Amino acid sequence: MKTLTISLSIGLLAMLTSGASISSTQKNKSYENAFEECGVITNKAVSNWGDWASTQGLTPQELRKIVGTMCINGITAARDSQNKTELSLYWNALATRFRDAGLAPLSVNAVWDAQKISMNYFMSLHPDLARQESERERIASEEKARKDTALDTDIGFPLLTKNHTQEQFNTAYNYFINTKKVKGGLSIRETCEKAIKENSFLSNFSFTQMVTAHGYDEQAIIVCQNVMVYAVSNGRYGDSPQKITISSNQGDLSKFSYPGNKYMAIVAEWAGSNAK
C-alpha cells in the first residue's frame, strides 16, 4: 500500500507542476496576498500532517511541494475561470485526485484551505461580482433575521438583539423551557421532569444497569428539554434527536457508563415524538 501511495503521490505532483504559471502582469497586491497565504497553509499542512505523510511514504519536502504547488496552481485557476461554478468544479476534481492518491486528509484540509484562497483571489479579480454577492448575502441575512423574529414571536421565545450575549441567550432559553407548553399542557421543563420520573425508559435493562443509568437522570432531563426545544422551534434552537443519538454512540454522551449513553438516545427519541 505504501508503494502504491508513493506512486500515486508522485503522479499527482507531476499533474500539479504541469499547471500554468502566473504571468508577471498578475503580480498585483491581491496576487501577492494570495501567494503569501499559500505559504501559510503550506507550513500549516507540513506542521499538522507531516507525521501522517511520513506513514504514507512522503517526506516533509515532498508534502510541502505538493501543497504549495497545488495552492499556486489554484491562483492560476482563479485567473482562468469564467465564473465561480467553473472554479468550484476545478477544486472538486482536484480533491478527488487527492483522495484517489491516498491523500484523503489533505483533500479535506489543505485543498479546502487552498480553495478559499483561490476563491478570494477570483473575487478580487471580479469586484462587480463581489459587490453583487455581498448584496445578495445582505438581503438574505435580512430576510433570515425577519423570519427568525417572526418564528420567535410565534413560539414565544424572547426576542434578543443581534449582538446579544451568551448570558442573555441562556436567560431567554431558560424562560422558554419554563413557559412554553407542549403536548399534555405542561411546560417543557415540567414535561421532561415528569417523564424522567415516571416513564419506563429503562425497562429492558437489568436492575444494576437501571441503577447506573438513573445516575444520569439530570442529564436526561437536559437532553429531553433540548430536543423538545428543537422540535417546537423547527430546529432553530436545541438539539435534534439524531444529534443526541450520534453523541451517545461516539460523542461526549458516549462517555457515560453503559447504559447511561443509551438512556440519552432513548429519552431523545421520546422527546422528539412528544413535543407537539
Side-chain angles (χ1 to χ4, degrees):
M1 178 61 72
K2 181 176 291 186
T3 301
L4 176 61
T5 301
I6 294 173
S7 175
L8 287 170
S9 298
I10 291 174
L12 177 63
L13 181 56
M15 181 273 292
L16 288 171
T17 54
S18 66
S21 61
I22 299 292
S23 68
S24 59
T25 57
Q26 279 187 276
K27 294 185 178 178
N28 52 30
K29 188 64 177 176
S30 295
Y31 168 75
E32 291 175 1
N33 289 339
F35 187 86
E36 290 176 1
E37 290 173 0
C38 282
V40 171
I41 71 161
T42 299
N43 290 334
K44 175 184 173 183
V46 173
S47 175
N48 292 347
W49 296 101
D51 291 341
W52 168 84
S54 67
T55 67
Q56 307 302 306
L58 291 172
T59 67
Q61 293 76 16
E62 289 170 331
L63 177 60
R64 181 178 299 278
K65 189 170 185 179
I66 287 174
V67 176
T69 304
M70 174 265 295
C71 189
I72 296 300
N73 281 355
I75 300 176
T76 300
R79 177 202 64 190
D80 295 340
S81 295
Q82 298 300 309
N83 50 59
K84 288 183 69 176
T85 299
E86 182 178 333
L87 186 56
S88 293
L89 290 174
Y90 166 87
W91 283 105
N92 289 340
L94 190 59
T96 298
R97 293 293 297 271
F98 267 76
R99 287 193 295 272
D100 291 345
L103 302 174
L106 296 183
S107 74
V108 176
N109 296 277
V111 173
W112 173 246
D113 288 341
Q115 181 177 354
K116 288 190 290 184
I117 293 171
S118 176
M119 284 292 184
N120 288 338
Y121 182 62
F122 174 85
M123 297 303 284
S124 75
L125 298 176
H126 303 275
D128 290 341
L129 179 62
R131 283 191 290 270
Q132 292 171 11
E133 186 167 293
S134 177
E135 179 64 10
R136 285 195 298 270
E137 290 175 352
R138 183 189 66 79
I139 293 173
S141 178
E142 290 180 353
E143 177 63 13
K144 181 180 184 302
R146 185 189 65 77
K147 290 182 178 180
D148 287 345
T149 298
L151 174 62
D152 286 349
T153 300
D154 182 55
I155 65 176
F157 196 95
L159 298 180
L160 297 168
T161 63
K162 181 179 180 180
N163 298 318
H164 64 266
T165 65
Q166 184 63 47
E167 183 178 0
Q168 290 171 328
F169 175 81
N170 291 343
T171 298
Y173 195 89
N174 286 328
Y175 172 85
F176 186 68
I177 63 176
N178 277 293
T179 59
K180 180 65 178 178
K181 301 295 192 293
V182 291
K183 186 169 66 176
L186 299 177
S187 70
I188 291 175
R189 181 185 295 279
E190 291 169 333
T191 300
C192 289
E193 290 177 345
K194 185 173 186 290
I196 297 305
K197 182 179 180 180
E198 299 179 0
N199 283 27
S200 301
F201 293 121
L202 302 168
S203 59
N204 292 329
F205 295 98
S206 69
F207 176 77
T208 301
Q209 290 174 330
M210 290 173 61
V211 171
T212 298
H214 278 306
Y216 298 102
D217 278 350
E218 290 187 9
Q219 290 89 339
I221 292 173
I222 294 173
V223 163
C224 175
Q225 291 173 168
N226 289 345
V227 171
M228 284 200 162
V229 169
Y230 181 90
V232 298
S233 69
N234 296 327
R236 176 158 162 74
Y237 305 110
D239 296 320
S240 69
Q242 294 78 12
K243 180 180 179 180
I244 298 300
T245 298
I246 292 173
S247 181
S248 69
N249 288 327
Q250 57 191 41
D252 289 342
L253 297 179
S254 67
K255 299 174 184 176
F256 290 2
S257 298
Y258 182 86
N261 57 328
K262 299 302 180 186
Y263 183 25
M264 301 302 115
I266 294 170
V267 169
E269 183 179 358
W270 179 89
S273 301
N274 287 273
K276 58 181 180 179

